[in-house]
Amino acid sequence: MNRVKTMLSTFALSLLIFSCTGDNETKTTTSTTPTSLSRTTTPKRFLFDATKAETAGNADWVICENTSGTPIRFPSPNQTLVTATTPETYWRGGLSSWGIALAKEGHYVETLAPGASITYGNTSNAQDLSKFDVYIVDEPNILFTAAQKTAIMNFVKNGGGLFMIADHTVSDRNNDGSDSPKIWNDLMTNNTVQTNPFGLTVELTNISQTTTNVLVDPTNTILNGSQGAVSKLIFHNGATIKLTPTANATAKGLIWQTGVAKTSKTKVMCASSTFFNGRVVLLTDSSPADDGTGNPSDTLYFGWTDAAGNHTRLHLNASYWLAKLQ
């Protein structure tokens, strides 16, 4: 996001001692078998994308990177050593809190590192999307290729969960001419599977506000799931969403801008949808997932712990809904 986000200098200094110490994948285990921590009877596999310049500019949307700032496939130290008391600084990355939270519950997390392939149904690819339950892409800054879009769409169609996170309009961090709103809209309107498959469009907007305008539905497990109730969302320069129920009747607004009717099909800040056997969540600001403890050369923001835990609850509830755990 094109904004200045402050961080206490003493805290930033402390981050010079990196917890995620792996300089390359050879320093981590090569095992891809999930190891349950016995805190869930149904461990799921979560793949965090890092192939679309998610660390460009001040972004650091990865669960773990080495001391050179390069995202690594297997978090280091090894996630099998994560316990209920492991701090999120065990790994270094702006999304390390998210990754550690999933690992603490006994789930398996992995990064699709730069240079890896986005495929579906390719048995020769060890990170083929078919091997994962949920694919998380936080603010992509490079367009998906035609083949990648087909892979993602078929992954969702056949039962996968897709967590899409965008940023505000004109937020092109790597200056290649495409920002995340454009990239997500291109996926949804220019693919070989179906046009506007999710009934969701990222509006080209830029808003900053705290909203409590949350859908009232005790049965909705994204908002009222195992991690607790979501009652607030804070955007620091984010976009909004347009719902098109005529394209997909399951497109559902979850959180709106302040003062907007909950029946509105525009000015939505978080939404969900289903597509055949799969599920989709779209959140249009990357700040809420930012835990502020990534690469110290980046200007980060403490969004994960903001809003009295609402952001943590939202992301984890959504993760588990996408994984069909709730």
Side-chain angles (χ1 to χ4, degrees):
M1 298 172 187
N2 300 321
R3 60 185 180 277
V4 177
K5 297 179 177 177
T6 60
M7 181 182 294
L8 292 175
S9 59
T10 54
F11 186 80
L13 181 61
S14 69
L15 293 180
L16 294 178
I17 302 175
F18 303 138
S19 296
C20 186
T21 56
D23 287 330
N24 52 53
E25 290 183 11
T26 62
K27 291 187 178 182
T28 64
T29 178
T30 57
S31 173
T32 59
T33 302
T35 301
S36 173
L37 298 183
S38 299
R39 279 181 279 280
T40 177
T41 57
T42 52
K44 298 292 184 176
R45 298 172 62 94
F46 294 83
L47 181 65
F48 287 77
D49 188 88
T51 67
K52 296 300 179 182
E54 282 94 344
T55 59
N58 276 323
D60 200 64
W61 312 141
V62 296
I63 57 173
C64 193
E65 57 196 7
N66 61 23
T67 54
S68 299
T70 302
I72 55 177
R73 176 180 174 184
F74 301 107
S76 177
N78 195 296
Q79 62 191 293
T80 60
L81 303 177
V82 172
T83 70
T85 59
T86 300
E88 61 87 9
T89 50
Y90 188 67
W91 297 336
R92 189 185 75 167
L95 303 183
S96 61
S97 288
W98 194 346
I100 288 291
L102 292 171
K104 283 183 176 181
E105 293 291 325
H107 302 292
Y108 179 81
V109 296
E110 196 169 305
T111 295
L112 194 66
S117 299
I118 301 172
T119 65
Y120 181 74
N122 182 349
T123 57
S124 65
N125 181 4
Q127 290 187 291
D128 189 76
L129 292 179
S130 64
K131 301 178 185 298
F132 296 87
D133 299 288
V134 179
Y135 182 39
I136 299 168
V137 189
D138 190 336
E139 196 188 338
N141 271 273
I142 299 174
L143 286 164
F144 294 101
T145 67
Q148 290 170 346
K149 286 186 282 189
T150 299
I152 293 169
M153 294 303 306
N154 283 327
F155 166 69
V156 177
K157 184 176 182 179
N158 290 316
L162 175 63
F163 203 140
M164 303 186 294
I165 299 179
D167 202 6
H168 61 89
T169 188
V170 192
S171 57
D172 179 11
R173 294 184 186 270
N174 62 345
N175 300 311
D176 70 344
S178 298
D179 58 13
S180 55
K182 175 181 177 180
I183 291 165
W184 284 127
N185 287 339
D186 178 66
L187 169 71
M188 294 183 284
T189 61
N190 185 26
N191 67 78
T192 61
V193 178
Q194 184 172 316
T195 300
N196 200 3
F198 313 137
L200 307 173
T201 303
V202 182
E203 298 177 309
L204 303 184
T205 52
N206 184 345
I207 66 167
S208 293
Q209 67 170 236
T210 298
T211 183
T212 57
N213 196 9
V214 178
L215 178 70
V216 179
D217 181 0
T219 68
N220 187 289
T221 55
I222 298 176
L223 301 175
N224 298 281
S226 61
Q227 304 303 301
V230 177
S231 60
K232 183 185 295 184
L233 178 61
I234 300 176
F235 268 23
H236 295 275
N237 300 98
T240 50
I241 304 165
K242 176 184 177 182
L243 310 176
T244 308
T246 54
N248 186 323
T250 70
K252 179 187 293 293
L254 302 176
I255 306 174
W256 289 259
Q257 285 185 243
T258 298
V260 176
K262 293 182 178 66
T263 55
S264 175
K265 300 300 186 288
T266 62
K267 299 182 179 180
V268 181
M269 298 165 68
C270 184
S272 67
S273 180
T274 61
F275 181 62
F276 287 84
N277 295 320
R279 297 178 175 185
V280 175
V281 169
L282 174 58
L283 178 67
T284 42
D285 189 9
S286 51
S287 286
D290 185 353
D291 64 26
T293 63
N295 193 325
S297 66
D298 294 330
T299 303
L300 301 172
Y301 176 80
F302 298 96
W304 185 259
T305 55
D306 210 341
N310 278 256
H311 293 167
T312 305
R313 296 170 197 159
L314 175 61
H315 288 80
L316 292 179
N317 277 340
S319 297
Y320 297 147
W321 180 78
L322 289 169
K324 299 179 180 177
L325 291 173
Q326 57 184 32

